[in-house]
Amino acid sequence: MAPKLSVSPVTTALNAPAHAPATVLSEVYTSKPLSDVAAEHRNLSALQRARLQYNPRYNPVLADPAAVVLQQGQPTTAAFDQDHIAKLFPNLYGQPSLSFAKHVPSHFEPKTVGVVLSGGPAPGGHNVICGMFDFVSNLNPNSKLLGFRNGPDGLLNAEYVLLDADTVALYRNQGGFHMIGSGRTKIETPAQFDAVRNTVEQLDLDALVIVGGDDSNSNAMKIAEHFKQHQLKCCVNGAPKTIDNDLRNAQVQVSFGFDTAAKSYAESIASLAFDAVSARKAYHFVRVMGRSASHIALECALQTHPNLCFIGEEVKHNSTTLLDVVRTVVDLIQQRSLQGKNYGVIVLPEGLVEFMPDVEALIAELNEILAHAERSLSRQQITEKLNPRNAELFRNLPDAIANQLMLERDPHGNVQVAKIEAERLLIGMVSSRLAMLKKEGLYKGKFSGVPHYLGYEARCAMPSNFDANYTYGLGRVAAALCCNGKTGYIATLSNLTKPAEEWVPAGFPLTMMMNIERRHGKDSAVIKKMLVDLQGAPFTDFALKRESWKLNDEYRSPGTTQFWGPTADVVSMSLQLEASVTANQ
Amino acid sequence: MAPKLSVSPVTTALNAPAHAPATVLSEVYTSKPLSDVAAEHRNLSALQRARLQYNPRYNPVLADPAAVVLQQGQPTTAAFDQDHIAKLFPNLYGQPSLSFAKHVPSHFEPKTVGVVLSGGPAPGGHNVICGMFDFVSNLNPNSKLLGFRNGPDGLLNAEYVLLDADTVALYRNQGGFHMIGSGRTKIETPAQFDAVRNTVEQLDLDALVIVGGDDSNSNAMKIAEHFKQHQLKCCVNGAPKTIDNDLRNAQVQVSFGFDTAAKSYAESIASLAFDAVSARKAYHFVRVMGRSASHIALECALQTHPNLCFIGEEVKHNSTTLLDVVRTVVDLIQQRSLQGKNYGVIVLPEGLVEFMPDVEALIAELNEILAHAERSLSRQQITEKLNPRNAELFRNLPDAIANQLMLERDPHGNVQVAKIEAERLLIGMVSSRLAMLKKEGLYKGKFSGVPHYLGYEARCAMPSNFDANYTYGLGRVAAALCCNGKTGYIATLSNLTKPAEEWVPAGFPLTMMMNIERRHGKDSAVIKKMLVDLQGAPFTDFALKRESWKLNDEYRSPGTTQFWGPTADVVSMSLQLEASVTANQ
């Protein structure tokens, strides 16, 4: 257990309005404590208590913070759009990569380090903080770790808590981001950058770690550049978080939370599959999180062998239409029904319909029509205005989905394609099509579709041993970068299919993974998302096996995440498959 | 591992039509094997393989099947409607309860025993079969265990498989009912009873075990009586299954599957709770399985401390209306929003709306109106025909729910109240009410409701150690009853909060737990369901604590089911609380 830092009450700026510079930092006051430690402890389950005792495993090179030495590699460039990105980060572009080594311990002055959790929660967030806490307090017991409240808002409004050993001890290896909360605010405007700078200056921060996905880490880089430009001492570094696993590249082997979340969804999908084949009367349509990238759907398919699994990237690559997908599902159901199997499991990625050209065309025309309509139109009236192709699709949509598209609009008046519950859409369309085939005598089975959406259930699950070790290690790496005066880096660990003691810590400039994308009509430097590679090992393995899963029931259960026993350290299949390719290269 | 029985191909009657007596049993043929053992094994995950090696723990009195002796207790009566039930079971009513003891082993001739899985799957079903298999094959290696396919249909149509050691070995401690499948057919008509008798006679069965819920065990009793009346040697005994945990009484301490399923739902609810407090922007409305009884919702609440949890039995007892429930939820949201908390978790039992007097009244009048309508009516037209009270409720329903009630009817033309997704109903109504309050300046928060239904995800989960031990033990107890010529009993284990080696095996006449209920206009002898006792220890504990959960976030996570480590044998809170009362009496 880490040494105890000075216990301190919660400190917040006096009700500073959101996004405004916090100018009243001297008037800090003591509000109710972050958490009533005794009360929190009373509410812990036996498993939560047992997990508090788990000591994350890490590379011994990270063991003595005062002995960590960062060795510089070659100067770096960006993977894409080098010149443009170099211009956007004139102070920090091209920094060398950093590897870790152990020297004789030096003396370190106490550090004041801040941490922000940004975006959707992911299993392991608390351990990043624990890793940072242990590192900075081991380095010098007078160090301070400040947790900014509720994401970037805490930075803007100088709302933070001083994290003491008692508080941190309550969250070791626990799920959730609730130790300090998370938020989605982006630091974009000059006033926001000023507010952040003001907070950091007032608190005399030596460093700041932003734990987040691609957007949040891109933001971290911009803040690092801004600080450098204004000659602040404060370093800014990032840690790669997102269950979607799309913050990944040559430097980042996996983003944290994916392992636990995918295991959780896969366990549910497997249970549904066994339910299907046990009760033999329903098709389960399971949508899983992952809007831009289908890594989660792919991992779940590899883990559970569903009868069908769609991959957004493949749908996009093949320009597969919604009607194509309906046909594929209907074909499967017809074929299985000939074998007496009127049940099955079908997995869909969250963003599925957004990748389909026919849906895209329909939505575009709907937006046009609805924007120019002077009064509310009936479905029939809208259908008549659509071009014949779009009209056919619109006619085929289940009532609930068509109504939702017509009635629910986003603040810009646009149809909300992201709100479509693809599993319900498919069940409705498949059901209609099967009813027609039945009339024609081409289908004799009985169809019952059950919709499921697996998303929020796993973002705050207790982290697997993998994620607990990974995030704790990332926390130590991030703290090491901070305490050694490095800025604009992302903390990484690689060699992840080996025991955690052999994972290799490193720091890479965030600019290395950036490219230029159009955002809100402007060029912006952002970390490039990693989508499913249709030539990559996980997809190739899936493509090889999936035909056999269609008619045979080869369902497989990874089971619930285990923290002890022979399977406690099994890592995701995607990671194993990718690592095996790297090893063979 | 059990000794290997003779390996045998799958045996089924030649496409006998459903429910018809299988008269062609001599023409059995070899179809494709039940499962391709090698292929199945290839598809097992590391955890599945590890669990295959788990040896369920049980009372040593059950260890040597040939040494088990059943000791008769006092003659029994029924808990309710004794005379009526005595008349319905003239051959078997009043049998003594049975306790287990160990004597010097005797020689037993080989037995042929059948097993049927009936109704919805529940974690542990496979282990009942494994326990039976080990017992009968240890008793005499020439014994045979036949698994009837897909529930009672397998009995009617003489579709069965001879379960050999290789097959059984693939399903030890695994989730699902897919080793032999399950089904919901009821044996009711004289022709059905004849068909079952025919199957049993043709196969020369010594005994039959029916693994099911209250209905299936009631059915088992009727079959036992029928066999006795026709002087068949075949014994019929039951085992108590249902995740809902409503097959419970003075004899049955818990029904199997509840422990695992409730743990699985509770883990999801806890993750949603931590997601709520981490992201701070949504209310999660979680409906959990349990139509007649709210034991699952109650256990989940005790495990996770949601901000609100409704209990169907309390709603019914207090004649709480849907509008009352909406008001309660809205009040909570208003109060929490004053604390800056625009998030939370609300748990609902599956059958919630069916218990509400206002919903009941509306449905009754809707059924009348729709039955007499000559053409399809608009929502407006229906509203005008309703009495003012019902009209108000109908007007307040979200569109999707109102449409569903108007359009989707069951085969008898009735409105399908059971199909109402209560979580979506509540989100819609609460959202409208909050929008009104906002206009009036009485609510300033931001409301976002996310619906969840947790049901099918856990019925086939891998059984917890508790359920693995419990079901394996029940299998051995059931087999012991069968092999000792007992019929009309349910297998039980009690003393369940102690180590599994101290669990007390027993057999109780199924008639003991029966009462008379009106079913389809006829008096029928059925096992009385155990509902949540509003005076019982679990509800009392919940009622004591729930006020504090409303505004404080005292969320608690039981975590994923563990098979190893310090928490692997923690049993459900409901069981612990009930046992503590019994211990104090």
Side-chain angles (χ1 to χ4, degrees):
Chain A
M1 211 43 73
K4 198 170 151 140
L5 285 189
S6 58
V7 178
S8 151
V10 171
T11 319
T12 60
L14 251 174
N15 294 328
H19 304 196
T23 51
V24 286
L25 262 181
S26 51
E27 299 176 55
V28 291
Y29 70 107
T30 305
S31 76
K32 59 185 178 306
L34 171 61
S35 60
D36 174 345
V37 171
E40 291 261 356
H41 208 260
R42 209 171 46 229
N43 285 318
L44 293 176
S45 73
L47 183 60
Q48 286 179 299
R49 284 167 206 256
R51 288 304 285 170
L52 289 181
Q53 307 304 321
Y54 176 73
N55 287 316
R57 297 157 52 201
Y58 54 90
N59 194 317
V61 79
L62 294 166
D64 179 356
V68 167
V69 171
L70 300 182
Q71 297 176 320
Q72 298 199 354
Q74 295 301 310
T76 61
T77 62
F80 310 86
D81 310 315
Q82 288 85 352
D83 294 349
H84 201 147
I85 289 167
K87 260 184 228 149
L88 290 168
F89 300 99
N91 295 290
L92 291 176
Y93 185 81
Q95 292 193 100
S97 59
L98 299 169
S99 60
F100 282 62
K102 203 171 165 177
H103 279 224
V104 281
S106 336
H107 172 73
F108 279 80
E109 292 298 313
K111 302 282 183 184
T112 302
V113 180
V115 61
V116 179
L117 300 176
S118 183
H126 286 152
N127 265 24
V128 176
I129 300 178
C130 296
M132 289 180 64
F133 178 85
D134 291 352
F135 194 97
V136 299
S137 53
N138 277 325
L139 192 72
N140 187 313
N142 295 318
S143 292
K144 285 184 189 146
L145 181 61
L146 310 184
F148 288 94
R149 299 302 313 273
N150 305 327
D153 282 349
L155 264 183
L156 292 169
N157 305 327
E159 286 182 1
Y160 64 94
V161 282
L162 198 153
L163 296 169
D164 60 63
D166 282 349
T167 301
V168 169
L170 267 178
Y171 295 90
R172 290 181 186 271
N173 312 301
Q174 307 293 312
F177 270 20
H178 51 292
M179 189 202 307
I180 58 175
S182 186
R184 292 190 177 273
T185 303
K186 272 192 201 169
I187 315 287
E188 291 178 312
T189 66
Q192 286 177 317
F193 278 99
D194 288 346
V196 171
R197 201 173 75 237
N198 187 52
T199 299
V200 162
E201 283 179 334
Q202 298 260 5
L203 293 170
D204 199 26
L205 279 197
D206 294 302
L208 180 64
V209 170
I210 293 180
V211 180
D214 49 335
D215 267 358
S216 307
N217 275 285
S218 303
N219 224 210
M221 186 63 218
K222 284 167 196 165
I223 298 170
E225 177 73 19
H226 180 84
F227 287 179
K228 194 77 181 175
Q229 181 196 335
H230 288 81
Q231 296 173 320
L232 260 64
K233 69 169 174 179
C234 184
C235 304
V236 185
N237 297 297
K241 173 227 73 173
T242 165
I243 61 165
D244 292 356
N245 205 18
D246 53 8
L247 168 43
R248 212 154 33 108
N249 43 51
Q251 293 78 39
V252 178
Q253 215 178 330
V254 71
S255 46
F256 82 74
F258 170 72
D259 185 81
T260 310
K263 276 173 182 161
S264 164
Y265 302 140
E267 147 66 4
S268 292
I269 292 168
S271 290
L272 292 172
F274 288 132
D275 200 292
V277 62
S278 296
R280 305 176 73 89
K281 60 180 193 179
Y283 274 89
H284 295 279
F285 286 68
V286 193
R287 180 169 47 119
V288 294
M289 268 197 177
R291 165 144 294 137
S292 316
S294 295
H295 298 295
I296 290 179
L298 180 55
E299 172 71 17
C300 288
L302 291 168
Q303 289 285 357
T304 65
H305 308 178
N307 301 107
L308 270 181
C309 172
F310 294 95
I311 299 297
E313 288 83 346
E314 188 185 27
V315 164
K316 191 179 174 70
H317 178 262
N318 295 341
S319 300
T320 310
T321 65
L322 178 54
L323 294 177
D324 291 335
V325 166
V326 169
R327 214 169 292 128
T328 304
V329 174
V330 166
D331 281 353
L332 178 89
I333 293 173
Q334 274 183 298
Q335 284 181 58
R336 289 178 59 86
S337 108
L338 293 176
Q339 299 192 355
K341 294 176 176 174
N342 292 309
Y343 61 85
V345 173
I346 296 168
V347 174
L348 320 169
E350 194 181 11
L352 181 64
V353 293
E354 297 173 51
F355 294 111
M356 297 167 165
D358 55 346
V359 175
E360 218 173 330
L362 170 63
I363 299 297
E365 201 181 356
L366 271 180
N367 274 333
E368 276 307 307
I369 291 171
L370 293 170
H372 297 107
E374 280 165 15
R375 53 189 181 78
S376 84
L377 299 171
S378 72
R379 184 167 177 186
Q380 181 56 34
Q381 289 167 325
I382 292 177
T383 312
E384 283 162 12
K385 285 176 188 284
L386 288 165
N387 77 39
R389 251 189 120 106
N390 289 338
E392 198 210 328
L393 179 56
F394 194 59
R395 216 176 284 118
N396 273 311
L397 295 182
D399 292 341
I401 306 282
N403 288 337
Q404 188 191 324
L405 288 181
M406 281 155 39
L407 300 174
E408 293 176 22
R409 242 76 65 71
D410 73 11
H412 308 288
N414 287 322
V415 166
Q416 298 197 72
V417 61
K419 275 206 166 179
I420 293 177
E421 295 175 302
E423 67 285 15
R424 290 175 186 247
L425 171 66
L426 272 190
I427 289 172
M429 292 181 75
V430 164
S431 181
S432 305
R433 179 84 193 121
L434 287 170
M436 275 175 54
L437 290 173
K438 200 162 210 167
K439 271 190 197 153
E440 295 166 20
L442 297 171
Y443 170 66
K444 297 192 164 53
K446 210 179 152 203
F447 174 73
S448 164
V450 184
H452 303 267
Y453 174 48
L454 300 175
Y456 299 100
E457 288 86 347
R459 306 195 311 174
C460 288
M462 232 180 261
S464 62
N465 282 359
F466 175 85
D467 271 326
N469 293 335
Y470 187 51
T471 49
Y472 183 82
L474 288 176
R476 290 188 84 100
V477 172
L481 293 170
C482 288
C483 294
N484 285 280
K486 305 301 175 187
T487 190
Y489 283 81
I490 192 164
T492 71
L493 287 164
S494 57
N495 203 33
L496 299 174
T497 51
K498 294 290 185 311
E501 291 80 359
E502 297 169 33
W503 294 355
V504 179
F508 291 100
L510 281 159
T511 44
M512 280 181 83
M513 35 207 81
M514 288 182 140
N515 70 349
I516 300 293
E517 292 177 20
R518 263 335 246 189
R519 296 278 172 98
H520 305 293
K522 284 202 327 203
D523 281 344
S524 186
V526 290
I527 294 176
K528 193 174 167 65
K529 271 189 203 294
M530 167 82 93
L531 303 183
V532 169
D533 176 2
L534 301 183
Q535 310 301 325
F539 184 84
T540 305
D541 192 63
F542 162 72
L544 204 70
K545 291 174 177 165
R546 63 179 159 184
E547 202 53 39
S548 163
W549 301 341
K550 280 189 174 174
L551 300 182
N552 309 320
D553 303 336
E554 300 187 14
Y555 308 134
R556 176 185 183 279
S557 169
T560 51
T561 298
Q562 296 298 306
F563 300 113
W564 296 274
T567 66
D569 292 308
V570 172
V571 302
S572 72
M573 289 217 170
S574 303
L575 188 59
Q576 289 180 51
L577 287 164
E578 278 153 5
S580 71
V581 171
T582 316
N584 292 336
Q585 271 168 356
Chain B
M1 209 47 67
K4 198 170 151 143
L5 284 188
S6 58
V7 178
S8 150
V10 171
T11 322
T12 60
L14 251 175
N15 294 328
H19 304 197
T23 52
V24 285
L25 261 181
S26 53
E27 299 176 54
V28 291
Y29 70 105
T30 304
S31 76
K32 61 188 177 307
L34 169 61
S35 59
D36 175 344
V37 171
E40 291 261 355
H41 207 261
R42 209 171 47 228
N43 285 318
L44 293 176
S45 73
L47 183 60
Q48 286 178 300
R49 284 166 206 257
R51 288 305 283 171
L52 289 180
Q53 307 304 320
Y54 177 73
N55 287 315
R57 296 156 54 201
Y58 54 91
N59 193 318
V61 79
L62 294 167
D64 180 356
V68 166
V69 171
L70 300 181
Q71 297 176 320
Q72 299 199 352
Q74 294 300 309
T76 60
T77 62
F80 310 86
D81 311 315
Q82 289 85 353
D83 295 349
H84 200 147
I85 289 168
K87 260 184 227 147
L88 289 169
F89 300 99
N91 296 290
L92 291 175
Y93 184 80
Q95 294 192 99
S97 59
L98 299 168
S99 60
F100 281 62
K102 203 171 164 178
H103 278 225
V104 281
S106 335
H107 171 74
F108 278 79
E109 292 298 314
K111 301 282 182 185
T112 303
V113 181
V115 61
V116 179
L117 300 177
S118 182
H126 286 151
N127 265 25
V128 176
I129 299 178
C130 296
M132 290 180 63
F133 178 84
D134 291 352
F135 194 97
V136 300
S137 53
N138 277 326
L139 193 73
N140 186 313
N142 295 318
S143 291
K144 284 183 190 147
L145 180 61
L146 310 185
F148 288 96
R149 299 303 312 272
N150 305 326
D153 282 348
L155 264 184
L156 291 169
N157 305 328
E159 287 182 359
Y160 64 95
V161 281
L162 197 152
L163 296 169
D164 59 66
D166 282 349
T167 301
V168 169
L170 268 178
Y171 295 91
R172 290 182 186 272
N173 310 301
Q174 307 294 312
F177 270 20
H178 51 292
M179 189 204 304
I180 58 175
S182 187
R184 293 189 176 273
T185 302
K186 271 193 201 168
I187 315 287
E188 290 176 312
T189 65
Q192 286 176 317
F193 278 99
D194 289 346
V196 171
R197 201 173 75 239
N198 187 50
T199 299
V200 163
E201 283 179 334
Q202 300 259 5
L203 293 171
D204 198 26
L205 278 198
D206 294 301
L208 180 64
V209 171
I210 294 180
V211 180
D214 49 335
D215 267 358
S216 306
N217 275 283
S218 301
N219 224 209
M221 186 64 220
K222 284 166 196 164
I223 297 171
E225 178 73 20
H226 179 85
F227 286 180
K228 194 76 183 175
Q229 181 196 335
H230 288 81
Q231 296 173 321
L232 260 64
K233 68 169 175 178
C234 184
C235 304
V236 185
N237 296 297
K241 173 227 73 172
T242 166
I243 61 165
D244 291 357
N245 205 18
D246 54 6
L247 167 43
R248 209 153 38 107
N249 42 53
Q251 293 78 39
V252 178
Q253 216 177 328
V254 71
S255 45
F256 81 74
F258 170 72
D259 185 81
T260 310
K263 276 175 182 161
S264 165
Y265 302 140
E267 147 67 4
S268 292
I269 292 168
S271 290
L272 292 173
F274 288 133
D275 201 292
V277 63
S278 296
R280 305 176 74 89
K281 61 178 195 182
Y283 273 90
H284 295 279
F285 287 69
V286 194
R287 180 170 47 119
V288 293
M289 269 197 176
R291 165 142 294 137
S292 315
S294 295
H295 299 294
I296 290 179
L298 180 55
E299 172 71 16
C300 288
L302 291 169
Q303 289 285 358
T304 66
H305 307 179
N307 301 107
L308 270 181
C309 172
F310 294 95
I311 299 297
E313 288 83 346
E314 188 184 28
V315 164
K316 191 179 176 72
H317 178 262
N318 295 341
S319 301
T320 310
T321 66
L322 178 55
L323 294 177
D324 291 335
V325 166
V326 170
R327 215 170 291 128
T328 304
V329 174
V330 166
D331 281 353
L332 178 89
I333 293 173
Q334 275 182 296
Q335 284 180 56
R336 288 179 60 88
S337 107
L338 293 176
Q339 297 193 355
K341 295 176 177 174
N342 292 309
Y343 61 84
V345 173
I346 296 168
V347 174
L348 321 168
E350 194 181 9
L352 182 65
V353 294
E354 298 173 50
F355 294 110
M356 296 166 165
D358 54 347
V359 176
E360 218 173 329
L362 170 62
I363 298 296
E365 201 182 357
L366 271 181
N367 275 332
E368 277 306 308
I369 292 171
L370 293 171
H372 297 107
E374 282 165 12
R375 53 192 180 76
S376 85
L377 298 171
S378 72
R379 184 167 176 185
Q380 182 56 34
Q381 289 166 325
I382 292 176
T383 311
E384 283 161 13
K385 286 177 188 283
L386 288 165
N387 77 38
R389 252 188 119 106
N390 290 337
E392 198 212 328
L393 179 57
F394 194 59
R395 215 177 283 119
N396 273 311
L397 294 182
D399 292 341
I401 307 282
N403 288 337
Q404 189 191 324
L405 289 180
M406 281 158 36
L407 299 174
E408 293 176 22
R409 241 77 66 69
D410 74 10
H412 307 289
N414 288 323
V415 166
Q416 299 198 73
V417 61
K419 275 205 168 181
I420 293 177
E421 296 176 300
E423 67 285 14
R424 289 175 186 248
L425 170 67
L426 272 189
I427 288 173
M429 293 181 74
V430 164
S431 181
S432 305
R433 180 84 192 120
L434 287 171
M436 276 175 53
L437 290 172
K438 199 161 213 170
K439 272 190 196 153
E440 296 166 18
L442 297 171
Y443 170 67
K444 296 192 165 55
K446 210 179 153 204
F447 174 72
S448 164
V450 184
H452 302 268
Y453 173 49
L454 300 174
Y456 300 100
E457 289 86 347
R459 307 196 309 175
C460 289
M462 235 182 259
S464 62
N465 282 0
F466 175 85
D467 271 326
N469 294 335
Y470 187 50
T471 49
Y472 183 82
L474 287 176
R476 289 189 84 100
V477 173
L481 294 169
C482 289
C483 294
N484 285 280
K486 305 300 175 189
T487 189
Y489 283 81
I490 192 165
T492 70
L493 287 163
S494 57
N495 203 31
L496 298 175
T497 51
K498 294 289 186 312
E501 291 80 359
E502 296 169 34
W503 293 355
V504 179
F508 292 100
L510 281 158
T511 46
M512 281 182 83
M513 35 207 84
M514 287 181 141
N515 71 349
I516 299 293
E517 292 178 20
R518 264 332 249 189
R519 295 277 172 98
H520 306 291
K522 284 202 326 201
D523 281 345
S524 185
V526 289
I527 294 175
K528 194 175 166 64
K529 270 188 203 295
M530 165 82 92
L531 303 183
V532 169
D533 177 2
L534 302 183
Q535 310 300 325
F539 184 85
T540 305
D541 192 64
F542 162 72
L544 203 69
K545 292 174 177 165
R546 62 178 159 183
E547 203 53 38
S548 164
W549 301 340
K550 280 190 174 173
L551 300 182
N552 308 320
D553 302 335
E554 300 187 14
Y555 308 134
R556 176 186 183 279
S557 168
T560 51
T561 299
Q562 296 298 305
F563 300 115
W564 296 274
T567 66
D569 292 307
V570 172
V571 302
S572 72
M573 290 215 169
S574 303
L575 188 59
Q576 290 181 50
L577 287 164
E578 279 153 4
S580 72
V581 171
T582 316
N584 292 336
Q585 271 171 356

